[in-house]
Amino acid sequence: MELLQLAINGIALGAAYALVALGFVLTLKATGAVNFAQGDLVTAGGFLAVALAGLLPVPGILLLPIVVLAMAGIGLAVATLSWWPLRDRPPATMFISTIALGIVIQNGLNGVFGAEPRAAPPLFTGGHVEVFGAVVARQSLAILAVAAILIAGVHLLLGRTQLGRMLRATAQDRAVASALGIRTGAMVMLTFALAAALSGAAGLLLANRYFIAPTDGGGFIVKAYIAVVIGGWGRVGGALAGAMLVALFETIVAAWFDQAVATGLLYAALLAILAVRPRGLFGEATGRRA
Amino acid sequence: MLNSSVRRILAILAAIVLPAAALAEVPRIPVLVPVTGYLSLEGTAQRNGAIMALEADASVTFEVSDTGTSPEVAVTAMRRALRNTDVGVIVGPILGTQMLAMLPLAEEYQVPLVTISGTAQLTEMGNPWIFRFFPGDAVTKIAHARYVAEDVGAKRPAILYQSTAYGQSGHARLVEAFAALGIAPVYEESLDVATKDMTATLAKAMAAGPDVLVLHLHSGPTALVVRQARAQGIDIPIVAGSAMHQPSTAALLEPAELKGVCAESGSSPISGGSPEMEKFAADYRVKFGNEPDAFALAQYDAARMLLAARHAGATGGAPLRDWLAGNAFEGLAMTYKSDGKGNMAHDAVIVCYDGESRVPRIVRRYQGVDGGR
C-alpha cells in the first residue's frame, strides 16, 4: 500500500515536472538555446494563482484557464525582451538574457508578494481518498489528470494542426521554414507563449500541495534540465520520461535511501546514462547544446 | 564682477556642503540585510525590526542595503557603508556565511557588528566586535530537546533536518542535547531544500517507531512535513524548529493540521504576553501589513539597545563595543547581556498550536539556558 501511495505521489509530481520540461524543450527546439527563466515562470504561475485566488475564491481548476492565458502573455513578453533583440546572436547570449530575466522575475515576485511561501487553492477539493487501500491526496490525482490533459493537448497541437506543423518546421530548421513562407519569428514567439503557459500551469498545480516561494525557480530549472539531458537533448518524449524519472527518484528511491543519497543516486544515474548513451535515453533532437 | 562670481560659486558650494555637513552630525546606521534570495523572508523581518526601532529615534539615520545571499555582496555593501566616516556600528545580515566574511572588516575598521544570525561559529572566533541578539543553536536546541524529553515525555524522537549549514548545525546541537538527556534518536535524515514530497521520508521515519517528530527545517519544508504527516495519518506530536513559529509558516496550514504541533523560538510576538509586546505587534502590522516574528523582534530589540547605548554616550567604535559588552538591556523578547563572547540572547520559548487557530500559545520559557547571564 505504501509503495502504491509513493508511486501515485511520484507520478503526480513527475507529471507537473513534465510540464516544465516540456516547455523547456519546446523553447530549446525553437531557439536552439536554453531559457533559464523557465523555472521562474513556474513560480510566476504559482503566484498568479495565489493572487487570483485572493480575488476569486474558486477552485484552482477554474483559475487554470486564466493562469494559462496570462502566462502565455508573459511568455510573449519574455520572448520580446530576452530573445527577439538577440535572435541573430549566438545562443549563449540568450542564456544570459534569460538568466537576467529570471532574476528580475524572482525579485519582482519577492517585492510584490513577499518572501514567504504561499499556497494556491486545490484544483478541486482538498482531502484524501483511498485507492486500493492507499491513502492518496485528491490534489495528487487531480495534478495527474490535468497534466495528462495538457500534455495530450500539446501533443495534438503539435501533431495534428497546421499551427503545430509550422511550429515544428520552425523548430527543425528556421531557415528552411522561412524559405517556405512561415513567419518563423512569430512561431518562436508563440513557442515562448506555449512554454510559459505550460510552466504557469505547473506552478498552479504544484503551489497547493507543495507551496511556492519566489526562490523556487532555481530548483525547477535544475530538474527540467536534468530531465531533458536524461531524455535526450531536444526530445519531447524524452523530456517527459526524464521528468518522471526525476520525480520517482524523489519519492520511490528516497523510500529506501536517505533523501540526500537519493539525490546523489539521481546524479549518478544521469552520469551512467550519459556514459552509456551520451545523447540521452532517446537520442538528441537538437544538434548543438546551448 | 569677479567678486560677484566668486561669491556665487561660494554660495553654491555652501549650499551643497553645509547640509551635508549638518547631516553628517546625525550618525548613520547601515542596515545590511538579505531582502532578496533564499533568506529574504528572515532578512525582510530583520529589516522591518530595525526600521521600527530606528525610525522612532530622530537622533540617528539609517540606510538599508540588500546583501542578497553571497558573502561578496555583503562585504561590498559593508565596505561601501564604511566609506562614510559617521558610521559607528553596522547591523549585519542574518546569514551566517555573510557575517563570517564581514567579521575581519569589523575588526579592521573597529566597528561593532550587530546581528541576529544563529551561526554558532560567529561568536567562537574571538572577535570582540560581534554581538548576536538571537539565541543561537546552543540555546534553542537545548530548549527544544528539553521540551521533547521533559514535557512531551518522548524517548524515541525521529529527527528531520535541513541539509544546509543551518540544518546541520542545529542537528548536531540537537543530538548533543538529547544525548545529555539520555535519549538516542531512533531516526535521523537530512532533507534538501528543493525536496517537495516528504512521503517517503515520513514513511521511513514512522517505520522506526518514534514517539515524536523533531524538525529542524526552513519555513516551507516545515509546513510540507506537517501537512504531509497529517495527511498520512501520523498523529504523534511534532516539535519543530523556529521556522514553525513564523506566522507565514502557520499561514500555509489549516488550523486542524497544526494540532499537536509545537516549536522552539527566541520569542513569539503574535502570542502577546505584555501590553508592550501587543503594541509592538499591532504597530508592526500597521506599518508592514504582515505579522511580526521572532527575527523582527530580536532585531528591534538589538536596534533599541544601540539607541540606548547612544543615549548613554557610546555612539560607535570601541566605546560602543565596550558598552554592549558590559551592559544588560531589557528588551521586549528577553533581557540581553553579553556572555563575554558577544552572545546577547540566552532565553528560548516553546510555542504550541491548539488546532483551532494559527496563533500559538507560549507554553514554556527557558531562561539563561546556556548560563550566559
Side-chain angles (χ1 to χ4, degrees):
Chain A
M1 289 311 114
E2 191 179 279
L3 188 63
L4 179 63
Q5 185 183 26
L6 291 171
I8 293 173
N9 282 346
I11 292 169
L13 192 59
Y17 288 166
L19 292 175
V20 189
L22 186 54
F24 184 102
V25 169
L26 291 175
T27 317
L28 174 68
K29 284 167 74 78
T31 63
V34 174
N35 174 9
F36 277 103
Q38 197 79 33
D40 296 297
L41 291 172
V42 179
T43 51
F47 274 102
L48 188 55
V50 170
L52 285 170
L55 301 170
L56 301 166
V58 293
I61 192 71
L62 298 178
L63 299 177
L64 185 64
I66 308 174
V67 169
V68 165
L69 283 176
M71 287 304 298
I74 291 173
L76 289 175
V78 168
T80 307
L81 292 170
S82 67
W83 173 74
W84 183 260
L86 306 168
R87 63 192 182 284
D88 297 323
R89 303 278 179 83
T93 53
M94 200 179 108
F95 265 32
I96 308 300
S97 67
T98 54
I99 288 172
L101 199 61
I103 293 169
V104 170
I105 292 172
Q106 187 185 119
N107 289 334
L109 292 172
N110 196 344
V112 174
F113 293 97
E116 59 267 34
R118 301 292 190 95
L123 278 167
F124 297 100
T125 56
H128 298 79
V129 289
E130 222 176 275
V131 179
F132 300 116
V135 180
V136 179
R138 283 200 181 97
Q139 179 72 2
S140 289
L141 296 174
I143 288 175
L144 194 51
V146 171
I149 290 168
L150 288 173
I151 291 167
V154 172
H155 182 71
L156 286 177
L157 171 74
L158 294 178
R160 302 286 173 87
T161 67
Q162 187 58 22
L163 175 65
R165 288 185 197 101
M166 290 195 288
L167 287 170
R168 281 192 293 134
T170 304
Q172 274 177 12
D173 194 320
R174 222 188 303 167
V176 173
S178 184
L180 290 171
I182 295 172
R183 292 170 59 203
T184 54
M187 290 302 114
V188 174
M189 298 283 279
L190 275 179
T191 305
F192 268 95
L194 181 58
L198 291 170
S199 294
L204 183 148
L205 300 184
L206 289 166
N208 172 257
R209 189 161 156 73
Y210 302 110
F211 312 132
I212 199 89
T215 49
D216 281 349
F220 293 129
I221 192 70
V222 167
K223 283 166 186 170
Y225 204 106
I226 293 172
V228 172
V229 170
I230 287 176
W233 200 245
R235 286 274 175 202
V236 172
L240 303 184
M244 211 50 85
L245 196 65
V246 169
L248 290 176
F249 263 86
E250 268 189 42
T251 50
I252 306 271
V253 177
W256 279 280
F257 301 97
D258 192 283
Q259 280 277 1
V261 175
T263 306
L265 286 173
L266 170 64
Y267 285 99
L270 173 67
L271 291 174
I273 288 169
L274 290 179
V276 178
R277 293 185 64 85
R279 290 166 181 268
L281 288 176
F282 299 92
E284 283 190 11
T286 301
R288 61 184 173 183
R289 290 191 177 213
Chain B
M1 184 66 190
L2 185 65
N3 281 349
S4 160
S5 297
V6 169
R7 271 202 301 274
R8 194 173 298 156
I9 290 166
L10 285 174
I12 291 168
L13 283 175
I16 296 168
V17 172
L18 285 179
L23 195 65
E25 288 169 11
V26 180
R28 195 189 316 236
I29 300 182
V31 178
L32 313 182
V33 290
V35 291
T36 57
Y38 69 87
L39 223 63
S40 53
L41 177 60
E42 294 79 2
T44 303
Q46 191 186 5
R47 178 198 65 183
N48 294 351
I51 289 175
M52 285 273 288
L54 297 175
E55 265 189 359
D57 193 320
S59 70
V60 294
T61 60
F62 64 94
E63 276 177 358
V64 177
S65 297
D66 180 20
T67 57
T69 49
S70 81
E72 297 82 12
V73 174
V75 167
T76 304
M78 186 169 173
R79 282 195 187 281
R80 198 168 51 237
L82 289 169
R83 281 208 299 260
N84 297 306
T85 52
D86 56 347
V87 168
V89 61
I90 284 178
V91 173
I94 188 170
L95 184 53
T97 49
Q98 292 186 326
M99 283 298 300
L100 286 168
M102 293 162 81
L103 275 181
L105 271 184
E107 190 145 33
E108 183 186 338
Y109 284 85
Q110 306 216 324
V111 172
L113 254 177
V114 169
T115 188
I116 56 168
S117 171
T119 303
Q121 206 184 343
L122 286 173
T123 51
E124 292 168 358
M125 299 171 73
N127 189 317
W129 299 94
I130 172 85
F131 295 92
R132 183 216 310 273
F133 282 78
F134 197 79
D137 290 339
V139 173
T140 55
K141 293 301 113 180
I142 289 174
H144 200 165
R146 277 182 58 189
Y147 182 77
V148 166
E150 295 165 3
D151 291 71
V152 178
K155 293 182 170 50
R156 297 173 56 78
I159 305 177
L160 303 182
Y161 60 101
Q162 216 76 71
S163 58
T164 56
Y166 156 82
Q168 292 189 22
S169 159
H171 167 248
R173 296 282 185 171
L174 261 177
V175 172
E176 256 175 47
F178 277 128
L181 295 162
I183 292 173
V186 294
Y187 187 79
E188 296 164 67
E189 182 169 342
S190 67
L191 297 173
D192 187 88
V193 283
T195 302
K196 295 289 186 190
D197 198 301
M198 314 293 188
T199 323
T201 300
L202 286 167
K204 283 181 292 177
M206 291 312 292
D211 50 8
V212 62
L213 274 178
V214 175
L215 311 182
H216 185 69
L217 302 163
H218 294 303
S219 171
T222 298
L224 279 174
V225 167
V226 171
R227 169 167 286 181
Q228 293 177 22
R230 295 310 187 222
Q232 282 179 250
I234 297 169
D235 57 2
I236 59 174
I238 297 176
V239 184
S242 58
M244 186 65 249
H245 98 282
Q246 290 176 275
S248 53
T249 309
L252 293 168
L253 299 160
E254 293 302 320
E257 292 174 312
L258 288 165
K259 189 167 176 59
V261 175
C262 297
E264 56 81 2
S265 177
S267 66
S268 177
I270 62 167
S271 301
S274 69
E276 293 81 11
M277 185 75 93
E278 278 159 21
K279 182 178 183 322
F280 167 80
D283 290 348
Y284 189 99
R285 283 183 201 111
V286 168
K287 189 162 184 60
F288 302 109
N290 56 30
E291 299 288 334
D293 61 17
F295 301 119
L297 182 56
Q299 192 59 69
Y300 174 78
D301 279 347
R304 284 176 60 231
M305 186 168 183
L306 292 180
L307 295 172
R310 174 169 171 71
H311 293 303
T315 54
L320 177 58
R321 177 199 63 189
D322 295 341
W323 196 93
L324 292 173
N327 286 277
F329 179 74
E330 196 65 43
L332 281 185
M334 64 186 80
T335 302
Y336 298 90
K337 187 168 189 337
S338 177
D339 62 354
K341 296 177 183 174
N343 293 308
M344 308 293 283
H346 312 283
D347 300 354
V349 299
I350 299 290
V351 297
C352 291
Y353 297 86
D354 60 8
E356 287 173 11
S357 90
R358 295 187 180 93
V359 178
R361 190 168 56 86
I362 294 176
V363 297
R364 184 73 59 211
R365 289 180 191 275
Y366 295 91
Q367 294 184 324
V369 176
D370 58 353
R373 69 175 168 85

